[in-house]
Amino acid sequence: MVSTYEEALKWMNNRTKFGIVPGLQRMEEMLVRLGNPHLNVKAIHVAGTNGKGSTITFLQSILLEAGYTVGAFTSPYILDYREQIMFCGEMISENEFIHLVNCMIPVVEEVEQLPCGAPTEFEIITTMAFYFFGKVKENDIFIVEAGLGGLEDCTNVVTPLISIITSIGHDHQQILGETIEEITKHKAGIIKKGIPIVTAELKEEALKIIRDKAITSEADYFEYGKHFFASSIKDQQNEQFCYEGFSNAIENIELSMLGQHQIRNASCAITAIQLLQKHYGMKISERTIKHGLKIAQKAGRFEKIVSSPVIYIDGAHNVEGIKSLVETMNEHFKDKEIKILFSALKDKNVEEMVKELREMTNNIVMTTFDFPRAMNRDELIANANSLNINYECNLQTAIDENVKKTRGNEILLITGSLYFISVVRSYLIKKYV
């Protein structure tokens, strides 16, 4: 047993050595020993490659604005480890985290003796979230983000009220497959018999798989651009759009989170809210929806972190994420000079990501950071040299030098891995905010 938050965190971090192991058996073994708490939750299950966190942020903001109590499980964290388990927009307390870890220790020790093997860190934190919202903390709705894929992701033990699939791209190919079709089959694995499915995906090869799975699962299907729509209103300061779906329209919706992709994510959230109203009697006014969307913010998602000089951070952690970031920058800041500090995990398509970033600027510096999956010094240098871009091995030096060289008419954009953004954000706030 543990008695302090530091001990609890150390125990959790020690489980990362078991890596990522797809499959549900270890999860199910832990849950049954805890009284199957996942059967008690009223959940919305969200899968996809990009846009999961933002969609959940929009949903949470609307539901909280409507007066409902909301649990959320998301990953990875940006601010604090406990941020992965949120109640009503606040991370769980250190004492609650200690309690959950102490509940898990005997369960994990028992399950790791079984043929299914040792539970991973992500499986344990997911089980903790289900236990917290299924047994400990009363709530109206629990929003669950799939970790990797969907079909064999450990969150897929839940039967939700609604399933959502955001946009699909190339990520974790070593596990999910090389093609969009292979990856989509994993993501579509969250579709359950008779449970409505909402998607913001645009690619036809992915949509065909999602549609077919919805049909075979007898699930009501709602597709962006076919069953619900958004028309953008051009504005240089923020995102504005009109939503149409379920035979009604919501005019002049404003988002603080920039990007056309955020309009699609917000439209998904609105559609899910409409379904909650239609099928589960939840009372949420149009005014509440609009205000909830306007105030929704997500740390590390195109976040302005410093005003002088202007510094934005964004966890664009794969090629599709970088493409959306470039589109947003070109739309809102085409009159500005852009400087980029970039770092990606070693298993990402760094060459393609840098190619997309060069659509904005050639002023790119690559760096690395202290994380097991980050590029080491030699890998950083080899990548930077092969791509003919500048590099700085020391992260703090890279940040400080770029901040110092950023002029009044320039924007410093720091982007790449969400794990990278977590470290950067902490450093920037301590030194520059």
Side-chain angles (χ1 to χ4, degrees), residues 50 76 96 163 205 215 222 291 332 350 394 403 413 427 431:
N50 296 315
E96 287 169 328
S163 300
E205 64 268 32
I215 291 168
F222 302 92
H291 187 61
H332 290 275
V350 175
N394 183 280
V403 171
L413 173 63
Y427 181 75
K431 187 161 183 179

Side-chain angles (χ1 to χ4, degrees), residues 222 227-230 242-250 270-271 274:
F222 302 92
H227 305 102
F228 62 99
F229 309 86
C242 300
Y243 170 90
E244 185 179 343
F246 291 84
S247 300
N248 69 327
I250 304 176
I270 297 170
T271 302
Q274 304 260 35

Side-chain angles (χ1 to χ4, degrees), residues 204-364:
E204 184 58 35
E205 64 268 32
L207 286 170
K208 184 180 186 307
I209 291 167
I210 298 170
R211 289 187 203 116
D212 289 347
K213 183 64 190 294
I215 291 168
T216 58
S217 302
E218 300 175 356
D220 288 341
Y221 173 71
F222 302 92
E223 177 186 314
Y224 177 83
K226 188 173 183 180
H227 305 102
F228 62 99
F229 309 86
S231 53
S232 180
I233 303 168
K234 291 299 178 185
D235 187 295
Q236 289 300 304
Q237 299 304 312
N238 60 10
E239 299 297 352
Q240 296 187 30
F241 70 103
C242 300
Y243 170 90
E244 185 179 343
F246 291 84
S247 300
N248 69 327
I250 304 176
E251 303 287 336
N252 300 316
I253 302 166
E254 294 183 40
L255 303 179
S256 297
M257 296 165 68
L258 297 181
Q260 291 294 308
H261 58 294
Q262 297 296 12
I263 290 177
R264 294 193 297 275
N265 294 332
S267 298
C268 257
I270 297 170
T271 302
I273 293 294
Q274 304 260 35
L275 288 168
L276 290 175
Q277 293 175 291
K278 181 179 179 181
H279 295 300
Y280 301 103
M282 298 183 86
K283 304 295 183 184
I284 304 166
S285 69
E286 178 180 311
R287 182 178 178 183
T288 296
I289 292 171
K290 292 176 74 169
H291 187 61
L293 291 174
K294 186 174 181 178
I295 64 173
Q297 294 277 8
K298 180 73 172 171
R301 269 62 166 196
F302 206 78
E303 181 183 11
K304 188 178 184 180
I305 205 81
V306 180
S307 295
S308 183
V310 176
I311 304 174
Y312 279 90
I313 59 173
D314 187 74
H317 59 282
N318 52 36
V319 174
E320 285 79 9
I322 293 287
K323 285 180 177 178
S324 293
L325 173 60
V326 171
E327 178 186 307
T328 302
M329 291 294 293
N330 287 338
E331 182 175 342
H332 290 275
F333 302 107
K334 58 188 174 187
D335 59 332
K336 299 287 187 181
E337 292 293 322
I338 310 297
K339 299 161 66 74
I340 294 173
L341 179 60
F342 169 72
S343 187
L345 300 181
K346 65 176 71 178
D347 58 352
K348 302 296 180 177
N349 189 342
V350 175
E351 181 179 356
E352 195 64 29
M353 293 170 84
V354 169
K355 179 183 175 184
E356 293 296 331
L357 289 173
R358 280 188 165 131
E359 294 293 316
M360 279 190 288
T361 180
N362 284 315
N363 194 343
I364 303 171

Side-chain angles (χ1 to χ4, degrees), residues 102-114:
N102 281 327
C103 289
M104 293 305 303
I105 288 173
V107 171
V108 170
E109 288 175 347
E110 188 174 334
V111 171
E112 64 188 358
Q113 301 304 315
L114 301 175

Side-chain angles (χ1 to χ4, degrees), residues 384-430:
N385 286 337
S386 69
L387 295 168
N388 194 29
I389 59 174
N390 294 323
Y391 66 89
E392 170 54 59
C393 297
N394 183 280
L395 174 58
Q396 293 186 5
T397 301
I399 295 171
D400 291 339
E401 288 297 312
N402 275 278
V403 171
K404 187 166 65 176
K405 293 175 182 176
T406 302
R407 307 297 175 218
N409 65 330
E410 295 177 326
I411 292 175
L412 174 58
L413 173 63
I414 305 178
T415 189
S417 162
L418 280 166
Y419 298 100
F420 170 62
I421 292 303
S422 176
V423 176
V424 168
R425 190 182 192 278
S426 176
Y427 181 75
L428 286 171
I429 286 175
K430 285 176 183 174

Side-chain angles (χ1 to χ4, degrees), residues 22 49 148-150 152 168-187 320 347:
T49 306
L148 195 156
E152 293 186 296
I168 295 171
H170 292 89
D171 214 356
H172 302 293
Q173 289 102 310
Q174 69 277 18
I175 295 174
L176 302 180
E178 292 294 331
T179 68
I180 287 295
E181 290 85 351
E182 289 173 310
I183 294 168
T184 304
K185 286 177 183 176
H186 281 273
K187 308 290 184 184
E320 285 79 9
D347 58 352

Side-chain angles (χ1 to χ4, degrees), residues 24 27 45-46 73 122 126 130 144-147 150 152-159 190 192:
L24 303 181
M27 189 77 187
H45 197 189
V46 185
F73 174 67
F122 186 73
T126 306
F130 279 123
V144 184
E145 178 183 350
E152 293 186 296
D153 184 75
C154 62
T155 62
N156 206 27
V157 293
V158 72
T159 299
I190 71 164
K192 305 288 195 309

